[in-house]
Structures are given as structure tokens and as C-alpha cells.
Amino acid sequence: MPYMAPEILRGKEYTQKSDVYSLGIIINEIISIIPPFNDEPHDHYLALDICRGKRPKIRDETPEFLKDLIQKCWNAIPENRPTSYEVYNEIRKFIDDSHIPKQFEELPELKYNFTPITKSTTKTQLYETHTQAIYKSRLLTLSNLPEPINCSNQEEFISSRNTTGKKTFIIITLL
């Protein structure tokens, strides 16, 4: 589920644009080394949040052009996502840039400050995964998901999981 484009969660057909969304998730996972949404259950609430614009965190040290490219891949409107060819060209352009050695010298080193979690004497993980985070294929029967939207500020995103059971009050001021 965490790799699936919002329109796919809503039951639409797979397209190349859906694959580009997934590619953006994978690029971000390679940079962060943490699977997407590893710290929460992969359930109806996560699907709802993805449709409402929630996306995995992008590391601060990620080069700006790559942050922009990942966010373009994650656009809620499939037609606004780049093609796989455009993604390739953006990355190739960065690599082929004549200033590449200097750019790499200026990039901060990506540091991974994780406290290892020892599961056994032979296996060590760099992060803890929620027990209901499922990273294998399974049949999803989701319904009543909203039309996908973009969320411009991930830091202020309020999860659907956190708002269940709470009462919302709307104050109307009459002039």
C-alpha cells in the first residue's frame, strides 16, 4: 500500500503515471533507507491520508533538485506527474552537469544516526517498523476514499487516524 498512487487506492486502473508515483516513493526510500510509512499501520487510515496528500518525509540533506523531482512524482493529479523519460532526463542532466564534482563536494554527507535495534544475536535493524506495516502484496478492499489532493506542508498534516472520535466544532460568525 505505501508504494501505491492515490488513484490506485481509489480503484482506478494502473497507468505509467501510477508507476512514476511509485518511482518517487522508491527514490525517496533509497535516499532515506527507511521504507515509506514504516512507523504506522498500513490500513484504511493510511490510505485515506495518502489520498488527502500525506507523503513520506524527504530527508533535509537531499539535494533540492531531487526533492523537487520526488514531489513532482508524488503529485495527486497523475497528469501533472513527469513521465519516466522526464525523470531520467532530470537525473541524467544533474549527473552530466559540468559542475558535478563541485556540486558533490558541496553536498552535506548523509548521516544515519539510528540506534540499532537488536532482534536477535544475528540480525540488527537501523529502524523500528510498526507491527501492522505490511510490505507485501495483498488484496485491498478500500472504499469511500476521497479524491486525491496535494498537501503543500507535510509538517502540518493532520492524520485521519488522529481525528477519529474527536468532535469538530464549526463557529459561524454572522455579520
mmCIF file of all heavy atoms in Angstrom, residues 114-160:
data_model
loop_
_atom_site.group_PDB
_atom_site.id
_atom_site.type_symbol
_atom_site.label_atom_id
_atom_site.label_comp_id
_atom_site.label_asym_id
_atom_site.label_seq_id
_atom_site.Cartn_x
_atom_site.Cartn_y
_atom_site.Cartn_z
ATOM 1 N N PHE A 114 20.970 6.275 13.642
ATOM 2 C CA PHE A 114 19.976 5.363 14.182
ATOM 3 C C PHE A 114 20.575 4.576 15.327
ATOM 4 O O PHE A 114 21.744 4.223 15.302
ATOM 5 C CB PHE A 114 19.501 4.361 13.119
ATOM 6 C CG PHE A 114 18.781 4.997 11.975
ATOM 7 C CD1 PHE A 114 19.380 5.118 10.733
ATOM 8 C CD2 PHE A 114 17.496 5.484 12.137
ATOM 9 C CE1 PHE A 114 18.723 5.696 9.679
ATOM 10 C CE2 PHE A 114 16.819 6.066 11.085
ATOM 11 C CZ PHE A 114 17.430 6.169 9.860
ATOM 12 N N THR A 115 19.753 4.295 16.312
ATOM 13 C CA THR A 115 20.167 3.389 17.370
ATOM 14 C C THR A 115 19.781 1.986 16.917
ATOM 15 O O THR A 115 18.597 1.719 16.700
ATOM 16 C CB THR A 115 19.441 3.718 18.694
ATOM 17 O OG1 THR A 115 19.703 5.078 18.999
ATOM 18 C CG2 THR A 115 19.900 2.806 19.805
ATOM 19 N N PRO A 116 20.745 1.124 16.716
ATOM 20 C CA PRO A 116 20.404 -0.224 16.246
ATOM 21 C C PRO A 116 19.462 -0.945 17.219
ATOM 22 O O PRO A 116 19.606 -0.853 18.426
ATOM 23 C CB PRO A 116 21.753 -0.939 16.167
ATOM 24 C CG PRO A 116 22.765 0.159 16.086
ATOM 25 C CD PRO A 116 22.177 1.306 16.858
ATOM 26 N N ILE A 117 18.486 -1.628 16.657
ATOM 27 C CA ILE A 117 17.543 -2.418 17.443
ATOM 28 C C ILE A 117 17.898 -3.879 17.195
ATOM 29 O O ILE A 117 17.752 -4.376 16.088
ATOM 30 C CB ILE A 117 16.095 -2.134 17.008
ATOM 31 C CG1 ILE A 117 15.790 -0.651 17.195
ATOM 32 C CG2 ILE A 117 15.111 -3.004 17.744
ATOM 33 C CD1 ILE A 117 14.532 -0.205 16.491
ATOM 34 N N THR A 118 18.379 -4.542 18.191
ATOM 35 C CA THR A 118 18.804 -5.921 18.025
ATOM 36 C C THR A 118 17.605 -6.845 18.212
ATOM 37 O O THR A 118 17.001 -6.881 19.271
ATOM 38 C CB THR A 118 19.909 -6.284 19.034
ATOM 39 O OG1 THR A 118 20.951 -5.329 18.890
ATOM 40 C CG2 THR A 118 20.442 -7.676 18.794
ATOM 41 N N LYS A 119 17.245 -7.565 17.158
ATOM 42 C CA LYS A 119 16.135 -8.519 17.207
ATOM 43 C C LYS A 119 16.637 -9.893 17.663
ATOM 44 O O LYS A 119 15.921 -10.644 18.253
ATOM 45 C CB LYS A 119 15.464 -8.639 15.836
ATOM 46 C CG LYS A 119 14.833 -7.355 15.366
ATOM 47 C CD LYS A 119 13.599 -7.053 16.167
ATOM 48 C CE LYS A 119 12.935 -5.800 15.621
ATOM 49 N NZ LYS A 119 11.849 -5.339 16.410
ATOM 50 N N SER A 120 17.843 -10.190 17.304
ATOM 51 C CA SER A 120 18.466 -11.441 17.734
ATOM 52 C C SER A 120 19.970 -11.193 17.709
ATOM 53 O O SER A 120 20.427 -10.122 17.379
ATOM 54 C CB SER A 120 18.078 -12.587 16.788
ATOM 55 O OG SER A 120 18.687 -12.389 15.533
ATOM 56 N N THR A 121 20.713 -12.199 18.019
ATOM 57 C CA THR A 121 22.163 -12.019 18.036
ATOM 58 C C THR A 121 22.736 -11.916 16.627
ATOM 59 O O THR A 121 23.841 -11.461 16.452
ATOM 60 C CB THR A 121 22.841 -13.197 18.768
ATOM 61 O OG1 THR A 121 22.420 -14.404 18.139
ATOM 62 C CG2 THR A 121 22.498 -13.195 20.232
ATOM 63 N N THR A 122 21.956 -12.302 15.590
ATOM 64 C CA THR A 122 22.490 -12.285 14.233
ATOM 65 C C THR A 122 21.873 -11.204 13.355
ATOM 66 O O THR A 122 22.363 -10.959 12.273
ATOM 67 C CB THR A 122 22.250 -13.647 13.546
ATOM 68 O OG1 THR A 122 20.847 -13.909 13.540
ATOM 69 C CG2 THR A 122 22.999 -14.747 14.254
ATOM 70 N N LYS A 123 20.783 -10.543 13.814
ATOM 71 C CA LYS A 123 20.112 -9.574 12.957
ATOM 72 C C LYS A 123 19.970 -8.224 13.663
ATOM 73 O O LYS A 123 19.462 -8.138 14.763
ATOM 74 C CB LYS A 123 18.726 -10.099 12.551
ATOM 75 C CG LYS A 123 18.019 -9.214 11.564
ATOM 76 C CD LYS A 123 16.694 -9.824 11.172
ATOM 77 C CE LYS A 123 15.975 -8.903 10.195
ATOM 78 N NZ LYS A 123 14.667 -9.409 9.865
ATOM 79 N N THR A 124 20.428 -7.175 13.004
ATOM 80 C CA THR A 124 20.317 -5.824 13.551
ATOM 81 C C THR A 124 19.601 -4.942 12.531
ATOM 82 O O THR A 124 19.930 -4.973 11.352
ATOM 83 C CB THR A 124 21.704 -5.231 13.847
ATOM 84 O OG1 THR A 124 22.357 -6.087 14.779
ATOM 85 C CG2 THR A 124 21.593 -3.845 14.440
ATOM 86 N N GLN A 125 18.617 -4.148 12.986
ATOM 87 C CA GLN A 125 17.909 -3.211 12.132
ATOM 88 C C GLN A 125 18.334 -1.799 12.481
ATOM 89 O O GLN A 125 18.716 -1.523 13.612
ATOM 90 C CB GLN A 125 16.402 -3.316 12.347
ATOM 91 C CG GLN A 125 15.753 -4.492 11.660
ATOM 92 C CD GLN A 125 14.260 -4.422 11.853
ATOM 93 O OE1 GLN A 125 13.762 -5.026 12.777
ATOM 94 N NE2 GLN A 125 13.579 -3.700 11.002
ATOM 95 N N LEU A 126 18.201 -0.879 11.511
ATOM 96 C CA LEU A 126 18.530 0.507 11.749
ATOM 97 C C LEU A 126 17.303 1.328 12.145
ATOM 98 O O LEU A 126 17.422 2.477 12.498
ATOM 99 C CB LEU A 126 19.162 1.118 10.496
ATOM 100 C CG LEU A 126 20.480 0.496 10.069
ATOM 101 C CD1 LEU A 126 20.963 1.111 8.765
ATOM 102 C CD2 LEU A 126 21.520 0.681 11.161
ATOM 103 N N TYR A 127 16.121 0.766 12.070
ATOM 104 C CA TYR A 127 14.886 1.464 12.396
ATOM 105 C C TYR A 127 13.867 0.428 12.871
ATOM 106 O O TYR A 127 14.001 -0.754 12.606
ATOM 107 C CB TYR A 127 14.343 2.214 11.174
ATOM 108 C CG TYR A 127 14.203 1.318 9.967
ATOM 109 C CD1 TYR A 127 13.066 0.555 9.770
ATOM 110 C CD2 TYR A 127 15.231 1.205 9.046
ATOM 111 C CE1 TYR A 127 12.957 -0.303 8.697
ATOM 112 C CE2 TYR A 127 15.136 0.356 7.966
ATOM 113 C CZ TYR A 127 13.981 -0.395 7.794
ATOM 114 O OH TYR A 127 13.882 -1.247 6.731
ATOM 115 N N GLU A 128 12.852 0.904 13.558
ATOM 116 C CA GLU A 128 11.808 0.004 14.037
ATOM 117 C C GLU A 128 10.581 0.144 13.151
ATOM 118 O O GLU A 128 10.187 1.254 12.798
ATOM 119 C CB GLU A 128 11.450 0.325 15.486
ATOM 120 C CG GLU A 128 10.579 -0.731 16.107
ATOM 121 C CD GLU A 128 10.509 -0.611 17.613
ATOM 122 O OE1 GLU A 128 11.146 0.303 18.169
ATOM 123 O OE2 GLU A 128 9.822 -1.422 18.229
ATOM 124 N N THR A 129 9.986 -0.959 12.766
ATOM 125 C CA THR A 129 8.816 -0.968 11.903
ATOM 126 C C THR A 129 7.585 -1.343 12.721
ATOM 127 O O THR A 129 7.640 -2.266 13.533
ATOM 128 C CB THR A 129 9.010 -1.982 10.756
ATOM 129 O OG1 THR A 129 10.171 -1.598 10.014
ATOM 130 C CG2 THR A 129 7.816 -2.002 9.829
ATOM 131 N N HIS A 130 6.492 -0.626 12.490
ATOM 132 C CA HIS A 130 5.229 -0.908 13.160
ATOM 133 C C HIS A 130 4.815 -2.342 12.836
ATOM 134 O O HIS A 130 5.005 -2.821 11.715
ATOM 135 C CB HIS A 130 4.156 0.087 12.695
ATOM 136 C CG HIS A 130 2.935 0.083 13.538
ATOM 137 N ND1 HIS A 130 1.968 -0.890 13.445
ATOM 138 C CD2 HIS A 130 2.538 0.935 14.513
ATOM 139 C CE1 HIS A 130 1.015 -0.633 14.312
ATOM 140 N NE2 HIS A 130 1.335 0.481 14.982
ATOM 141 N N THR A 131 4.215 -3.017 13.787
ATOM 142 C CA THR A 131 3.822 -4.418 13.582
ATOM 143 C C THR A 131 2.752 -4.574 12.508
ATOM 144 O O THR A 131 2.613 -5.650 11.941
ATOM 145 C CB THR A 131 3.308 -5.042 14.899
ATOM 146 O OG1 THR A 131 2.222 -4.252 15.381
ATOM 147 C CG2 THR A 131 4.404 -5.116 15.938
ATOM 148 N N GLN A 132 1.997 -3.510 12.216
ATOM 149 C CA GLN A 132 0.962 -3.585 11.179
ATOM 150 C C GLN A 132 1.385 -2.884 9.883
ATOM 151 O O GLN A 132 0.551 -2.577 9.046
ATOM 152 C CB GLN A 132 -0.343 -2.993 11.707
ATOM 153 C CG GLN A 132 -0.925 -3.825 12.830
ATOM 154 C CD GLN A 132 -2.156 -3.172 13.438
ATOM 155 O OE1 GLN A 132 -2.504 -2.052 13.127
ATOM 156 N NE2 GLN A 132 -2.812 -3.894 14.313
ATOM 157 N N ALA A 133 2.677 -2.631 9.732
ATOM 158 C CA ALA A 133 3.204 -2.110 8.467
ATOM 159 C C ALA A 133 3.519 -3.319 7.601
ATOM 160 O O ALA A 133 4.392 -4.116 7.923
ATOM 161 C CB ALA A 133 4.449 -1.272 8.710
ATOM 162 N N ILE A 134 2.778 -3.474 6.511
ATOM 163 C CA ILE A 134 2.872 -4.675 5.682
ATOM 164 C C ILE A 134 3.469 -4.319 4.328
ATOM 165 O O ILE A 134 2.886 -3.536 3.575
ATOM 166 C CB ILE A 134 1.480 -5.318 5.502
ATOM 167 C CG1 ILE A 134 0.889 -5.652 6.886
ATOM 168 C CG2 ILE A 134 1.553 -6.547 4.610
ATOM 169 C CD1 ILE A 134 -0.578 -5.994 6.860
ATOM 170 N N TYR A 135 4.625 -4.901 4.009
ATOM 171 C CA TYR A 135 5.320 -4.614 2.761
ATOM 172 C C TYR A 135 5.298 -5.812 1.821
ATOM 173 O O TYR A 135 6.313 -6.210 1.272
ATOM 174 C CB TYR A 135 6.767 -4.187 3.036
ATOM 175 C CG TYR A 135 6.833 -2.847 3.732
ATOM 176 C CD1 TYR A 135 6.991 -2.763 5.105
ATOM 177 C CD2 TYR A 135 6.706 -1.670 3.011
ATOM 178 C CE1 TYR A 135 7.040 -1.535 5.745
ATOM 179 C CE2 TYR A 135 6.748 -0.440 3.636
ATOM 180 C CZ TYR A 135 6.920 -0.373 4.999
ATOM 181 O OH TYR A 135 6.953 0.844 5.621
ATOM 182 N N LYS A 136 4.143 -6.399 1.626
ATOM 183 C CA LYS A 136 4.000 -7.478 0.656
ATOM 184 C C LYS A 136 2.641 -7.333 -0.004
ATOM 185 O O LYS A 136 1.742 -6.669 0.524
ATOM 186 C CB LYS A 136 4.162 -8.851 1.311
ATOM 187 C CG LYS A 136 3.150 -9.161 2.403
ATOM 188 C CD LYS A 136 3.432 -10.509 3.025
ATOM 189 C CE LYS A 136 2.435 -10.777 4.141
ATOM 190 N NZ LYS A 136 2.652 -12.035 4.789
ATOM 191 N N SER A 137 2.495 -7.953 -1.150
ATOM 192 C CA SER A 137 1.244 -7.831 -1.894
ATOM 193 C C SER A 137 0.095 -8.437 -1.115
ATOM 194 O O SER A 137 0.243 -9.478 -0.471
ATOM 195 C CB SER A 137 1.369 -8.552 -3.240
ATOM 196 O OG SER A 137 2.320 -7.922 -4.028
ATOM 197 N N ARG A 138 -1.044 -7.751 -1.191
ATOM 198 C CA ARG A 138 -2.258 -8.268 -0.566
ATOM 199 C C ARG A 138 -3.442 -7.581 -1.212
ATOM 200 O O ARG A 138 -3.327 -6.501 -1.782
ATOM 201 C CB ARG A 138 -2.250 -8.032 0.939
ATOM 202 C CG ARG A 138 -2.186 -6.564 1.318
ATOM 203 C CD ARG A 138 -1.981 -6.394 2.798
ATOM 204 N NE ARG A 138 -1.649 -5.016 3.100
ATOM 205 C CZ ARG A 138 -2.281 -4.272 3.979
ATOM 206 N NH1 ARG A 138 -3.279 -4.778 4.665
ATOM 207 N NH2 ARG A 138 -1.911 -3.044 4.205
ATOM 208 N N LEU A 139 -4.585 -8.198 -1.128
ATOM 209 C CA LEU A 139 -5.793 -7.632 -1.678
ATOM 210 C C LEU A 139 -6.292 -6.538 -0.745
ATOM 211 O O LEU A 139 -6.432 -6.746 0.459
ATOM 212 C CB LEU A 139 -6.863 -8.722 -1.832
ATOM 213 C CG LEU A 139 -8.190 -8.271 -2.412
ATOM 214 C CD1 LEU A 139 -7.999 -7.706 -3.825
ATOM 215 C CD2 LEU A 139 -9.171 -9.421 -2.434
ATOM 216 N N LEU A 140 -6.530 -5.373 -1.304
ATOM 217 C CA LEU A 140 -7.046 -4.250 -0.522
ATOM 218 C C LEU A 140 -8.493 -3.998 -0.926
ATOM 219 O O LEU A 140 -8.792 -3.885 -2.103
ATOM 220 C CB LEU A 140 -6.222 -2.987 -0.777
ATOM 221 C CG LEU A 140 -4.753 -3.051 -0.400
ATOM 222 C CD1 LEU A 140 -4.033 -1.786 -0.875
ATOM 223 C CD2 LEU A 140 -4.587 -3.201 1.106
ATOM 224 N N THR A 141 -9.360 -3.928 0.037
ATOM 225 C CA THR A 141 -10.752 -3.587 -0.233
ATOM 226 C C THR A 141 -11.045 -2.286 0.493
ATOM 227 O O THR A 141 -11.478 -2.288 1.648
ATOM 228 C CB THR A 141 -11.700 -4.712 0.228
ATOM 229 O OG1 THR A 141 -11.408 -5.025 1.585
ATOM 230 C CG2 THR A 141 -11.549 -5.953 -0.618
ATOM 231 N N LEU A 142 -10.751 -1.211 -0.177
ATOM 232 C CA LEU A 142 -10.928 0.118 0.401
ATOM 233 C C LEU A 142 -12.096 0.799 -0.294
ATOM 234 O O LEU A 142 -12.287 0.665 -1.496
ATOM 235 C CB LEU A 142 -9.653 0.940 0.211
ATOM 236 C CG LEU A 142 -8.376 0.309 0.760
ATOM 237 C CD1 LEU A 142 -7.157 1.071 0.279
ATOM 238 C CD2 LEU A 142 -8.412 0.286 2.279
ATOM 239 N N SER A 143 -12.861 1.544 0.467
ATOM 240 C CA SER A 143 -13.980 2.264 -0.130
ATOM 241 C C SER A 143 -14.102 3.644 0.501
ATOM 242 O O SER A 143 -13.526 3.912 1.563
ATOM 243 C CB SER A 143 -15.280 1.479 0.061
ATOM 244 O OG SER A 143 -15.537 1.297 1.438
ATOM 245 N N ASN A 144 -14.845 4.489 -0.160
ATOM 246 C CA ASN A 144 -15.126 5.845 0.323
ATOM 247 C C ASN A 144 -13.870 6.685 0.528
ATOM 248 O O ASN A 144 -13.825 7.494 1.451
ATOM 249 C CB ASN A 144 -15.944 5.804 1.621
ATOM 250 C CG ASN A 144 -17.278 5.136 1.423
ATOM 251 O OD1 ASN A 144 -17.892 5.274 0.374
ATOM 252 N ND2 ASN A 144 -17.713 4.400 2.418
ATOM 253 N N LEU A 145 -12.854 6.476 -0.302
ATOM 254 C CA LEU A 145 -11.662 7.315 -0.213
ATOM 255 C C LEU A 145 -11.912 8.605 -0.989
ATOM 256 O O LEU A 145 -12.547 8.589 -2.048
ATOM 257 C CB LEU A 145 -10.437 6.593 -0.767
ATOM 258 C CG LEU A 145 -9.982 5.366 0.033
ATOM 259 C CD1 LEU A 145 -8.834 4.664 -0.683
ATOM 260 C CD2 LEU A 145 -9.565 5.760 1.432
ATOM 261 N N PRO A 146 -11.422 9.726 -0.487
ATOM 262 C CA PRO A 146 -11.667 10.999 -1.172
ATOM 263 C C PRO A 146 -10.833 11.141 -2.436
ATOM 264 O O PRO A 146 -9.858 10.422 -2.639
ATOM 265 C CB PRO A 146 -11.240 12.036 -0.127
ATOM 266 C CG PRO A 146 -10.196 11.337 0.672
ATOM 267 C CD PRO A 146 -10.632 9.893 0.732
ATOM 268 N N GLU A 147 -11.229 12.102 -3.258
ATOM 269 C CA GLU A 147 -10.455 12.449 -4.450
ATOM 270 C C GLU A 147 -9.066 12.875 -3.981
ATOM 271 O O GLU A 147 -8.934 13.645 -3.033
ATOM 272 C CB GLU A 147 -11.145 13.601 -5.185
ATOM 273 C CG GLU A 147 -10.608 13.865 -6.556
ATOM 274 C CD GLU A 147 -10.897 12.766 -7.563
ATOM 275 O OE1 GLU A 147 -11.955 12.114 -7.471
ATOM 276 O OE2 GLU A 147 -10.049 12.552 -8.439
ATOM 277 N N PRO A 148 -7.978 12.368 -4.602
ATOM 278 C CA PRO A 148 -6.625 12.731 -4.169
ATOM 279 C C PRO A 148 -6.346 14.231 -4.299
ATOM 280 O O PRO A 148 -6.778 14.867 -5.255
ATOM 281 C CB PRO A 148 -5.728 11.931 -5.115
ATOM 282 C CG PRO A 148 -6.567 10.791 -5.565
ATOM 283 C CD PRO A 148 -7.964 11.342 -5.643
ATOM 284 N N ILE A 149 -5.636 14.767 -3.314
ATOM 285 C CA ILE A 149 -5.211 16.168 -3.330
ATOM 286 C C ILE A 149 -3.749 16.232 -2.923
ATOM 287 O O ILE A 149 -3.202 15.279 -2.369
ATOM 288 C CB ILE A 149 -6.062 17.053 -2.383
ATOM 289 C CG1 ILE A 149 -5.949 16.552 -0.927
ATOM 290 C CG2 ILE A 149 -7.505 17.125 -2.836
ATOM 291 C CD1 ILE A 149 -6.561 17.486 0.096
ATOM 292 N N ASN A 150 -3.117 17.383 -3.159
ATOM 293 C CA ASN A 150 -1.751 17.621 -2.723
ATOM 294 C C ASN A 150 -1.777 18.362 -1.393
ATOM 295 O O ASN A 150 -2.632 19.211 -1.174
ATOM 296 C CB ASN A 150 -0.981 18.458 -3.751
ATOM 297 C CG ASN A 150 -0.751 17.699 -5.030
ATOM 298 O OD1 ASN A 150 -0.379 16.535 -5.010
ATOM 299 N ND2 ASN A 150 -0.967 18.342 -6.156
ATOM 300 N N CYS A 151 -0.856 18.043 -0.518
ATOM 301 C CA CYS A 151 -0.702 18.746 0.751
ATOM 302 C C CYS A 151 0.631 19.475 0.674
ATOM 303 O O CYS A 151 1.679 18.835 0.605
ATOM 304 C CB CYS A 151 -0.717 17.764 1.923
ATOM 305 S SG CYS A 151 -0.437 18.535 3.517
ATOM 306 N N SER A 152 0.588 20.801 0.688
ATOM 307 C CA SER A 152 1.814 21.572 0.489
ATOM 308 C C SER A 152 2.721 21.604 1.711
ATOM 309 O O SER A 152 3.902 21.860 1.609
ATOM 310 C CB SER A 152 1.469 23.000 0.069
ATOM 311 O OG SER A 152 0.682 23.608 1.080
ATOM 312 N N ASN A 153 2.182 21.335 2.898
ATOM 313 C CA ASN A 153 3.002 21.387 4.109
ATOM 314 C C ASN A 153 2.852 20.078 4.889
ATOM 315 O O ASN A 153 1.939 19.922 5.689
ATOM 316 C CB ASN A 153 2.591 22.575 4.977
ATOM 317 C CG ASN A 153 3.542 22.776 6.136
ATOM 318 O OD1 ASN A 153 4.306 21.896 6.504
ATOM 319 N ND2 ASN A 153 3.494 23.956 6.729
ATOM 320 N N GLN A 154 3.777 19.148 4.642
ATOM 321 C CA GLN A 154 3.713 17.836 5.292
ATOM 322 C C GLN A 154 3.884 17.930 6.805
ATOM 323 O O GLN A 154 3.362 17.103 7.542
ATOM 324 C CB GLN A 154 4.769 16.903 4.701
ATOM 325 C CG GLN A 154 4.499 16.518 3.266
ATOM 326 C CD GLN A 154 3.267 15.661 3.107
ATOM 327 O OE1 GLN A 154 3.062 14.687 3.821
ATOM 328 N NE2 GLN A 154 2.413 16.020 2.166
ATOM 329 N N GLU A 155 4.623 18.934 7.273
ATOM 330 C CA GLU A 155 4.856 19.086 8.712
ATOM 331 C C GLU A 155 3.554 19.380 9.465
ATOM 332 O O GLU A 155 3.423 19.052 10.629
ATOM 333 C CB GLU A 155 5.878 20.198 8.975
ATOM 334 C CG GLU A 155 7.245 19.949 8.363
ATOM 335 C CD GLU A 155 7.925 18.695 8.889
ATOM 336 O OE1 GLU A 155 7.834 18.443 10.107
ATOM 337 O OE2 GLU A 155 8.546 17.980 8.096
ATOM 338 N N GLU A 156 2.595 20.018 8.812
ATOM 339 C CA GLU A 156 1.336 20.375 9.460
ATOM 340 C C GLU A 156 0.196 19.413 9.118
ATOM 341 O O GLU A 156 -0.945 19.662 9.473
ATOM 342 C CB GLU A 156 0.951 21.809 9.084
ATOM 343 C CG GLU A 156 1.914 22.835 9.651
ATOM 344 C CD GLU A 156 1.543 24.256 9.272
ATOM 345 O OE1 GLU A 156 0.457 24.474 8.700
ATOM 346 O OE2 GLU A 156 2.354 25.156 9.556
ATOM 347 N N PHE A 157 0.509 18.316 8.411
ATOM 348 C CA PHE A 157 -0.519 17.356 8.023
ATOM 349 C C PHE A 157 -1.117 16.711 9.276
ATOM 350 O O PHE A 157 -0.398 16.268 10.163
ATOM 351 C CB PHE A 157 0.074 16.268 7.114
ATOM 352 C CG PHE A 157 -0.963 15.316 6.582
ATOM 353 C CD1 PHE A 157 -1.626 15.611 5.406
ATOM 354 C CD2 PHE A 157 -1.296 14.165 7.270
ATOM 355 C CE1 PHE A 157 -2.591 14.749 4.908
ATOM 356 C CE2 PHE A 157 -2.264 13.305 6.791
ATOM 357 C CZ PHE A 157 -2.913 13.598 5.595
ATOM 358 N N ILE A 158 -2.432 16.675 9.342
ATOM 359 C CA ILE A 158 -3.122 16.040 10.470
ATOM 360 C C ILE A 158 -3.714 14.735 9.964
ATOM 361 O O ILE A 158 -4.585 14.728 9.088
ATOM 362 C CB ILE A 158 -4.219 16.952 11.048
ATOM 363 C CG1 ILE A 158 -3.595 18.247 11.569
ATOM 364 C CG2 ILE A 158 -4.985 16.224 12.153
ATOM 365 C CD1 ILE A 158 -4.602 19.295 11.988
ATOM 366 N N SER A 159 -3.260 13.639 10.521
ATOM 367 C CA SER A 159 -3.684 12.315 10.090
ATOM 368 C C SER A 159 -5.149 12.072 10.403
ATOM 369 O O SER A 159 -5.664 12.516 11.426
ATOM 370 C CB SER A 159 -2.833 11.251 10.773
ATOM 371 O OG SER A 159 -3.324 9.968 10.469
ATOM 372 N N SER A 160 -5.807 11.333 9.541
ATOM 373 C CA SER A 160 -7.193 10.922 9.779
ATOM 374 C C SER A 160 -7.271 10.041 11.016
ATOM 375 O O SER A 160 -8.275 10.031 11.722
ATOM 376 C CB SER A 160 -7.714 10.140 8.577
ATOM 377 O OG SER A 160 -7.613 10.916 7.416
#
